[in-house]
């Protein structure tokens, strides 16, 4: 029998889903005072996907989960842990995770949501990793799923051009490990938060404050200013914990919020531009869904291969921020 401490969480599959409806920058320019040129230059975003009326976060998450299970060659009943990173749940309760669990026909194990805004996927991954390494659970679906279109103020040009809807998922499996860095799996995770910055990035409603869902509000310049520092600190923590150097990384898969934040962070970390996986131009900022969406694209097009060292990082409202280093 494998003793506790000799287990590692290995990525067995990845999948994603984007709603059919595409909203281009040109279309946005007919809704608010903006332009394709401004949006591309400041953010790198060219289009985003918008959920159809009645299409909820759990529906997007279920599609991504099914794609990840297919990629892993597993069935829903093989999963005993479902964690969903989301800030746009179907309902205040029950959790989106239990909705997805039921839709997949999983009637054992445990499912719960995790709220860390754009860091939601990294937080969910780190949490699932700790469950799996403890030996309490065997296979986890880690999902990031969002319908930010439902909390966007579509008259506010400073925010409505930035966000989109989507979902991504990975299957993590506990496997016996000798603890070496060469072995596949999650090698280290680092999570941080600091609640003093709420005003810089928040939603101005909620069940206990206004009794409404509210709209996303952001001081963009301030968020930008903090984001690069937070991202680089937590990625450096991952390097320090493992002894891995930027040169040894094969891929850098950051939260897809803004191309300029991504490029600036990579440059500060000494990570070459050829190692960046950027998909923000295709779907905008999908919050907790953005990292597994990018992973899924890079896996499908053959960039990420088994054994590659992949660094994930995210920063989001709270502030929350985190990193994860994975031997794929
Ligand atoms: N189209 C045209 N003009 C615009 C738009 C728009 N969509 N939005 C703002 N402007 C105008 C502003 O009104 C301002 O005009 P002014 O000079 O006449 O006052 C001008 O453009 C410059 O505005 P800034 O806010 O200074 O623009 P900046 O270069 O900072 O870019 C941006 C704005 C893109 C939002 C940038 O600050 C940014 O990317 N911030 C980080 C945002 C982010 O990544 N958030 C996600 C974090 S993760 C999460 O948890 C959600």
């Amino acid at each position: 029998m494998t003793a506790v401490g000799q287990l590692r969480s290995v990525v067995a599959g990845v999948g994603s889903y984007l709603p059919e409806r595409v909203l281009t920058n040109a279309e946005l320019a007919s809704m608010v005072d903006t332009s394709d040129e401004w949006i591309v230059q400041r953010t790198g975003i060219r289009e985003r996907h918008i959920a159809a009326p009645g299409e909820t976060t759990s529906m997007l998450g279920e599609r991504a989960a099914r794609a990840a299970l297919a990629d892993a060659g597993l069935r829903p009943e093989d999963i005993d842990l479902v964690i969903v990173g989301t800030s746009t749940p179907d309902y205040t309760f029950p959790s989106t995770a239990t909705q997805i669990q039921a839709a997949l026909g999983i009637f054992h194990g445990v499912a719960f949501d995790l709220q860390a805004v754009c860091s939601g996927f990294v937080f969910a991954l780190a949490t699932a990793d700790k469950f799996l390494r403890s030996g309490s659970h065997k296979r986890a679906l880690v999902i990031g799923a969002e319908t930010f279109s439902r909390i966007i103020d579509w008259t506010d040009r400073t925010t409505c051009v930035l966000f989109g809807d989507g979902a991504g998922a990975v299957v993590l499996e506990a496997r016996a490990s000798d603890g070496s860095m060469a072995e596949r799996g999650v090698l280290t995770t680092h999570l941080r938060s600091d609640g003093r910055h709420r005003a810089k990035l928040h939603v101005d409603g909620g069940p206990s404050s206004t009794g409404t869902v509210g709209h996303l509000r952001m001081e963009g310049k301030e968020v930008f200013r903090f984001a690069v520092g937070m991202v680089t600190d937590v990625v450096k923590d991952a390097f320090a914990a493992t002894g891995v150097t930027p040169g040894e990384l094969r891929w850098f898969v950051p939260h897809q919020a803004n191309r300029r934040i991504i490029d600036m962070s990579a440059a500060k970390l000494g990570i070459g531009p050829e190692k960046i996986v950027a998909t923000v131009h295709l779907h905008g900022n999908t919050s907790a869904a953005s990292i597994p969406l990018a992973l899924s694209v890079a896996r499908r097009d053959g960039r990420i291969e088994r054994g590659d060292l992949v660094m994930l990082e995210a920063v989001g409202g709270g502030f929350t921020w985190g990193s994860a280093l994975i031997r794929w």
Side-chain angles (χ1 to χ4, degrees):
M1 201 180 123
T2 307
V4 170
Q6 291 181 290
L7 291 168
R8 189 169 282 175
S9 316
V10 175
V11 177
V14 58
S16 62
Y17 176 73
L18 287 167
E20 269 174 40
R21 162 93 165 95
V22 174
L23 178 62
T24 63
N25 290 350
E27 227 178 317
L28 271 171
S30 70
M31 295 161 56
V32 290
D33 183 12
T34 190
S35 65
D36 176 57
E37 191 193 1
W38 191 95
I39 300 170
V40 171
Q41 193 185 65
R42 307 282 176 131
T43 72
I45 299 166
R46 294 187 179 275
E47 58 189 36
R48 69 287 294 141
H49 292 245
I50 305 294
E55 193 175 31
T56 65
T57 295
S58 70
M59 294 176 191
L60 307 187
E62 181 197 347
R63 300 286 287 261
R66 287 193 186 280
L69 285 167
D71 187 45
L74 293 169
R75 298 161 303 168
E77 52 267 38
D78 296 322
I79 299 296
D80 56 1
L81 173 65
V82 181
I83 309 182
V84 178
T86 189
S87 304
T88 45
D90 293 14
Y91 304 102
T92 300
F93 76 79
S95 68
T96 301
T98 53
Q99 301 302 289
I100 295 174
Q101 183 193 28
L104 291 171
I106 304 171
F107 305 117
H108 60 272
V110 64
F112 58 90
D113 286 0
L114 196 154
Q115 219 282 45
V117 200
C118 299
S119 307
F121 181 78
V122 173
F123 275 53
L125 183 92
T127 305
D129 175 50
K130 290 178 199 300
F131 270 75
L132 296 186
R133 283 194 294 111
S134 80
S136 68
H137 294 75
K138 287 193 163 45
R139 288 193 199 91
L141 261 171
V142 182
I143 303 168
E146 303 278 17
T147 46
F148 261 50
S149 64
R150 307 264 156 77
I151 56 165
I152 291 300
D153 174 354
W154 288 100
T155 64
D156 175 9
R157 70 174 182 175
T158 67
T159 52
C160 76
V161 302
L162 302 174
F163 295 91
D165 301 337
V170 302
V171 177
L172 282 185
E173 185 170 77
R175 294 193 192 157
S177 165
D178 65 12
S180 102
M181 295 291 295
E183 254 184 13
R184 296 181 62 206
V186 177
L187 302 180
T188 191
T189 59
H190 299 267
L191 307 182
R192 294 288 313 282
S193 61
D194 184 342
R196 286 173 296 180
H197 305 288
R198 188 186 73 87
K200 295 185 175 69
L201 180 54
H202 68 288
V203 170
D204 62 6
S208 174
S209 52
T210 59
T212 63
V213 171
H215 289 113
L216 183 148
R217 306 293 174 201
M218 181 171 70
E219 297 167 22
K221 251 194 187 356
E222 279 293 291
V223 174
F224 199 118
R225 197 164 68 79
F226 275 86
V228 176
M230 291 189 286
V231 163
T232 49
D233 278 355
V234 85
V235 170
K236 282 179 186 164
D237 287 345
F239 285 138
T242 56
V244 168
T245 62
E248 289 173 272
L249 280 190
R250 184 70 188 89
W251 298 110
F252 179 56
V253 188
H255 168 47
Q256 309 285 318
N258 179 311
R259 186 69 212 226
R260 285 191 300 154
I261 295 179
I262 293 173
D263 291 345
M264 219 178 271
S265 307
K268 261 189 91 171
L269 287 160
I271 297 171
E274 74 285 357
K275 295 182 177 177
I276 299 171
V277 174
T279 54
V280 66
H281 57 291
L282 300 172
H283 52 65
N285 183 347
T286 57
S287 188
S290 89
I291 290 176
L293 271 163
L295 286 172
S296 177
V297 168
R299 186 64 188 135
R300 264 202 318 268
D301 67 20
R303 267 179 289 177
I304 297 179
E305 292 182 307
R306 185 170 286 202
D308 284 354
L309 267 178
V310 182
M311 179 72 80
L312 316 183
E313 59 81 354
V315 54
F319 290 138
T320 55
W321 64 110
S323 66
L325 181 63
I326 300 174
R327 172 81 66 188
W328 198 267

